[in-house]
Amino acid sequence: WTSTAFPMLTGTLVTAAGFLPVGFAKSSSGEYAGGIFWVVGIALIASWFVAVLFTPYLGLKLLPELKKKKNVEHDPDAIYQTRIYRALRSVIDLALRRRKTVVAATIFMFLASIAGFGLVQQQFFPTSTRTELFFEMRLPEGTAIGVTEATAKKAEQLIGNDPDVASYTTYVGAGAPRFWLGLNPELPNANFAQIVIVAKDLDGRERLKARLEKAIADGALTQARARVDRFVFGPPVGFPVQFRVIGPDPLKVRAIAEDVRKVMAENHKLIDPHLDWNEQVKSIRLDIDQDRARALGLTPQEVAQTLQTLVSGYTITQYREGIERIGVVARAIPSERLDLDRLPALTIATRNGVAVPLSQVAKLSYEFEEPILWRRNRDLVLTVRSDVIDGVQAPDVSNEVAPKLKSIKDALPYGYRIETGGSIEESVKANVALVAVFPVMIIAMLVLLMIQLQSFSRLALVVVTAPLGLIGATGALLISNRPFGFVALLGLIALAGMIMRNTVILVDQIDRDIAEGHARYRAIIDATIRRARPVTLTALAAILGMIPLSRSVFWGPMAITIMGGLLVATILTLLVVPALYALWFRVTKDEPAGAGRSNHPEVADGAVKHARMAA
């Protein structure tokens, strides 16, 4: 309690402060994972109370009295005279004598880890472990909803008797409702159908997905663009690889998007690159002869209202049936309004009651037009999108395609541009939201450390050690072939807090030993020896505690990041921090005791009083 409670509290709060960005990030990722900050923060603070109050009480009641052990009463350091501690003392002494070499080697390893980090797979959020599959069908634009329904029924025959299917639900003309936070519902569209399939287990989900994709590749649904997709953890992204073509002219945008699609199709890691609005729909254009219409006493508005009544119907009144009000709609009989050949013969009544065929006042032409024009920030946008094959990460594939679009981007006319969307864009949004809160996190950490250390030099020493966890994290991710994503980033931030906590406790112990009158060189070695076992055991406990999470799809990258980073950082804490402390404060081996100043005046005052009493 007297020696470790306060530095442990500082380290605990620093670790909790590392999760501040995700707790207050103004983004969909913050909404998805923001609860981590509150859970971890409350758990850490509660664990501190257990560590400094309940654990000492248990130690007092359960542990044997050390005074009964031989030589301990006269030499409290006798327990540190074992073979292992003597070997560790020799290694630390060597690190202090070769301090520049140790620090230089650490810097080299850190730079190597930064370079090696470029080889780590990049990821936003991993694929979910839910058993649902989404079987989507997109027919050509303008397809009648009856044709879409018939296609959906044909797709149901592919899964109806599958042994791995627990249940399925079909939606025609729209997507499923948002029954999960990570689901982005499809907007109503007559040419879209979706079947939500619930598999019996994860293995069954993968078998079912493989069978459906093989059936589609063999031509089971040639009339539709079919897609079999899984849930993905995190905020909804849609298609993982997307490139947006933006410009004022739809035809020019379509031509540029087609060039982008061809470049994407050359990458074998992409599946069926396509445009989000592509096919034009058939339309009937009505050009009114204004002179004839005026001669007959007709206006364009009257022609439009009459056609609306004949073709689509016009509500002329309502009647009640119980508590329901039902509209009465007047329109032409099906043989007249559904036969395009009879459309010119539809009659329009003039103001004097004369019936005039539509062909007398208007010219009908059959054309193609854009079914929908998507806009983003009021700019016309056409998105080229694609799925990726299993075993690769969408951000990595996007980064492979982006350089190959340079020639297209260089040839773009004024007012046109290409933007990257999909997983990369959502990842950038999440990181920008985190960076916006980083100043608050840094200030909180620095304030906590300054309260504990009360020295700018020691503060800088502690902060410098924070990034060293990247050395082990990069190696662990590469060895395990796990991707680095949003959750792994949280683990890296937490790892920095853990490293600073251990450094704070070690530096605090060094300062206390110096304040008690030890020579600085000896104080560094003795303090490191004294803190070696608790630092190592807490690190091993954390590493062992992460083993169950390491197999998790969602938490696995974070667990691997913490395990690898903490393992290497613990070794560096026991070797590099003493060497860095000696180099930082110019500690020499032959300097006398009391040459350094203490950062703990209350300890120094106690040492002076003790010396006076002894005198």
Side-chain angles (χ1 to χ4, degrees):
W1 167 263
T2 57
S3 60
T4 60
F6 190 50
M8 188 185 296
L9 175 62
T10 302
T12 299
L13 295 178
V14 166
T15 304
F19 288 95
L20 269 173
V22 67
F24 293 92
K26 301 296 183 181
S27 67
S28 54
S29 300
E31 175 188 5
Y32 186 85
I36 294 178
F37 165 71
W38 303 102
V39 173
V40 171
I42 294 174
L44 285 176
I45 293 173
S47 68
W48 178 80
F49 280 103
V50 172
V52 301
L53 293 178
F54 187 64
T55 302
Y57 175 77
L58 289 181
L60 183 66
K61 295 296 184 181
L62 300 179
L63 296 182
E65 294 186 23
L66 294 179
K67 290 183 179 181
K68 294 181 180 180
K69 293 188 176 181
K70 185 178 179 181
N71 297 328
V72 172
E73 183 176 2
H74 303 288
D75 186 6
D77 292 332
I79 58 175
Y80 301 113
Q81 301 303 323
T82 62
R83 179 181 303 175
I84 296 178
Y85 278 115
R86 285 195 296 268
L88 180 60
R89 184 181 296 273
S90 300
V91 173
I92 297 172
D93 182 65
L94 179 62
L96 290 179
R97 287 187 281 109
R98 299 285 188 268
R99 64 191 71 172
K100 292 183 180 180
T101 303
V102 171
V103 174
T106 304
I107 295 175
F108 175 78
M109 290 190 296
F110 179 70
L111 296 177
S113 68
I114 295 177
F117 193 76
L119 303 176
V120 178
Q121 302 178 62
Q122 300 299 306
Q123 184 186 67
F124 183 40
F125 276 94
T127 302
S128 172
T129 53
R130 292 177 66 102
T131 58
E132 288 92 347
L133 280 176
F134 295 92
F135 190 3
E136 299 177 355
M137 291 146 282
R138 297 178 188 274
L139 280 75
E141 295 289 348
T143 302
I145 195 168
V147 178
T148 306
E149 183 179 7
T151 304
K153 289 182 179 179
K154 186 176 179 181
E156 289 177 349
Q157 297 175 2
L158 300 176
I159 60 177
N161 298 322
D162 197 293
D164 291 319
V165 175
S167 65
Y168 64 90
T169 306
T170 304
Y171 300 87
V172 179
R178 193 175 192 180
F179 60 88
W180 191 58
L181 182 62
L183 177 63
N184 196 16
E186 286 286 337
L187 296 176
N189 195 341
N191 68 315
F192 177 79
Q194 183 184 69
I195 304 177
V196 180
I197 309 170
V198 181
K200 294 180 179 180
D201 50 40
L202 285 179
D203 294 335
R205 183 192 73 176
E206 296 305 311
R207 291 192 297 267
L208 176 61
K209 183 175 184 293
R211 285 194 290 268
L212 289 176
E213 289 177 342
K214 184 178 184 305
I216 294 169
D218 293 341
L221 293 172
T222 55
Q223 67 270 42
R225 173 178 283 114
R227 180 193 187 203
V228 183
D229 191 26
R230 313 177 185 91
F231 260 128
V232 176
F233 283 122
V237 175
F239 283 81
V241 177
Q242 299 181 23
F243 291 94
R244 292 191 296 268
V245 182
I246 300 173
D249 183 11
L251 295 179
K252 184 64 176 177
V253 167
R254 187 190 300 275
I256 298 172
E258 181 62 24
D259 293 337
V260 174
R261 189 198 68 79
K262 291 178 181 178
V263 173
M264 294 175 62
E266 295 174 356
N267 193 310
H268 67 279
K269 298 178 182 178
L270 294 176
I271 301 174
D272 188 24
H274 63 279
L275 314 183
D276 63 344
W277 50 271
N278 186 16
E279 309 90 359
Q280 293 183 325
V281 297
K282 300 174 181 178
S283 67
I284 301 175
R285 183 178 180 84
L286 188 68
D287 293 322
I288 298 177
D289 189 331
Q290 297 290 345
D291 294 334
R292 286 190 178 187
R294 282 195 294 267
L296 295 173
L298 292 174
T299 65
Q301 182 179 6
E302 291 172 339
V303 175
Q305 288 177 347
T306 303
L307 289 177
Q308 171 73 18
T309 301
L310 294 175
V311 178
S312 300
Y314 181 77
T315 302
I316 56 177
T317 185
Q318 292 179 333
Y319 81 95
R320 290 183 177 274
E321 187 173 288
I323 61 174
E324 301 291 335
R325 291 194 299 178
I326 302 175
V328 178
V329 179
R331 62 182 179 182
I333 61 176
S335 61
E336 293 182 357
R337 61 187 173 86
L338 298 180
D339 188 354
L340 294 181
D341 293 335
R342 301 187 62 177
L343 190 60
L346 291 177
T347 57
I348 300 175
T350 62
R351 294 179 181 177
N352 57 9
V354 178
V356 178
L358 179 63
S359 59
Q360 294 294 318
V361 295
K363 177 183 178 182
L364 279 72
S365 58
Y366 300 93
E367 300 177 351
F368 288 91
E369 66 179 10
E370 302 294 348
I372 185 172
L373 295 175
W374 283 108
R375 295 186 182 273
R376 186 182 181 91
N377 297 329
R378 302 182 66 182
D379 292 327
L380 186 67
V381 57
L382 176 57
T383 303
V384 189
R385 56 192 187 178
S386 174
D387 282 313
V388 297
I389 62 175
D390 292 338
V392 300
Q393 301 301 329
D396 294 333
V397 180
S398 297
N399 290 329
E400 292 178 7
V401 175
K404 298 180 180 179
L405 299 178
K406 187 178 185 303
S407 58
I408 300 177
K409 292 181 179 180
D410 294 340
L412 290 177
Y414 177 78
Y416 294 82
R417 65 184 187 274
I418 298 176
E419 296 178 351
T420 303
S423 297
I424 278 191
E425 182 183 43
E426 292 300 323
S427 179
V428 170
K429 287 181 181 178
N431 293 337
V432 168
L434 289 178
V435 171
V437 194
F438 268 15
V440 179
M441 177 194 74
I442 294 173
I443 291 174
M445 285 183 171
L446 293 179
V447 168
L448 291 169
L449 292 174
M450 198 61 186
I451 292 174
Q452 169 65 42
L453 300 171
Q454 300 179 15
S455 168
F456 285 108
S457 298
R458 288 167 175 80
L459 175 65
L461 175 64
V462 172
V463 172
V464 163
T465 62
L468 298 182
L470 184 64
I471 300 173
T474 300
L477 290 173
L478 288 174
I479 293 173
S480 62
N481 195 29
R482 303 297 287 271
F484 183 84
F486 185 80
V487 180
L489 176 61
L490 301 183
L492 194 62
I493 295 174
L495 182 62
M498 296 177 187
I499 296 171
M500 286 192 289
R501 177 196 61 194
N502 290 338
T503 306
V504 165
I505 294 176
L506 180 55
V507 171
D508 179 82
Q509 186 62 53
I510 294 173
D511 289 339
R512 288 182 177 274
D513 286 356
I514 294 173
E516 292 176 357
H518 296 283
R520 292 197 298 173
Y521 192 90
R522 179 190 169 189
I524 294 174
I525 298 177
D526 290 345
T528 306
I529 292 295
R530 195 173 296 114
R531 291 300 183 192
R533 183 162 58 180
V535 167
T536 303
L537 290 179
T538 52
L540 290 177
I543 293 171
L544 294 174
M546 291 291 170
I547 289 178
L549 290 179
S550 63
R551 301 297 297 272
S552 169
V553 174
F554 186 77
W555 300 107
M558 184 193 75
I560 295 295
T561 299
I562 293 178
M563 291 169 68
L566 198 56
L567 179 63
V568 175
T570 301
I571 300 174
L572 295 180
T573 299
L574 299 178
L575 298 180
V576 178
V577 172
L580 191 61
Y581 188 99
L583 185 64
W584 198 282
F585 295 104
R586 298 183 177 87
V587 178
T588 59
K589 187 173 183 179
D590 55 352
E591 68 180 24
R597 289 187 175 181
S598 170
N599 193 43
H600 293 274
E602 73 281 0
V603 177
D605 292 343
V608 172
K609 292 178 181 178
H610 178 75
R612 288 176 179 172
M613 291 175 62

